[in-house]
Amino acid sequence: MHKRLQKNDVLFLSATALLLAAVLAAMLLFRGKSGKQVVITVDREVFGTYPLSQDNVVRIDTGTSVNELTIENGTAKMTEADCPDKLCMHQKAISRERETIVCLPNKIVVTVTGGGDSSLDAIVN
Amino acid sequence: MKRKTAYMGLFLALALICGYVEMLIPIPLGIPGVKLGLTNIVVLIMLYSIGVKEAFAISVLRILLSGFLFGNAFSILYSLSGGILSFAVMLLLKKSGRLGCISVSTAGGIFHNIGQLGMAVLIVGNTAVLYYCPVLLVSGALTGLLIGVLAQEIILRIGDRIRF
Ligand SMILES: [Zn+2]
């Protein structure tokens, strides 16, 4: 380890950076359309499906834990949770297809699905 | 032997403190599992200056202890999957002899997050969690790079003075 960065390292790090940039670009390019509803699953089972168009506060009572999902202005956010880490409450509000909020300790996953084509909606309306 | 026990205790304490400090510095990305990976500094120093077995032991013991102290069964499972996968990848790359500390640490950071995400999929039984994959890969690479630079400087300065 005389030289801090050998030629191999420069190659490896550049290749990694390129690969990750491609992954990020793909993610932004294939970002989901705005979704219609959120599906809540608790420990592999569907807990319920709720439309994003309707403001709502969903109490996710699993029997051993309680979370609260607030649907407001077409976005969903975890606003209450009794998990120890509270990471779910710090995740950003979701509204586009495939966007997900997860509460690992309580095994809750909230995912946006059923994207309606927003431009088509605009025309219909 | 006595000297070795003392060193191992010292490194374990150091790793625990790094893990604790890390909990006090939340990274506000709104994504679960994004961490600085400070404890990997200790693991890297041990891997380069002491040995594979010792580095692995400290990395696993640290996770178990901080799990018992601050976490729960799930957080232990979650950290272990990240820690062990990351260690395996770092060991392989280091053994190849072609890459230096910074590359090894960067790969370790990436695979740490892959391991955690894989465990998250198993725990919640839902692949929707993979939505976080791109951001976790990038954050793992960036933190791994930073930790690799820091660890390399420490190893270059005091690495040869750590001997059992
Ligand atoms: Zn939670």
Side-chain angles (χ1 to χ4, degrees), chain B residues 77-116:
Chain B
L77 262 181
Y78 195 55
S79 304
L80 267 184
S81 57
I84 292 177
L85 185 63
S86 153
F87 190 88
V89 169
M90 292 197 298
L91 184 61
L92 274 175
L93 287 184
K94 182 182 177 287
K95 283 236 162 135
S96 80
R98 297 198 178 137
L99 293 171
C101 183
I102 296 178
S103 302
V104 167
S105 173
T106 304
I110 294 172
F111 278 90
H112 181 265
N113 286 359
I114 291 178
Q116 287 205 333

Side-chain angles (χ1 to χ4, degrees), chain A residues 67 81 83 85-89 102-106:
Chain A
N67 286 45
C83 57
D85 58 19
K86 311 276 185 225
L87 280 172
C88 51
M89 289 172 63
V102 56
C103 178
L104 220 48
N106 295 349

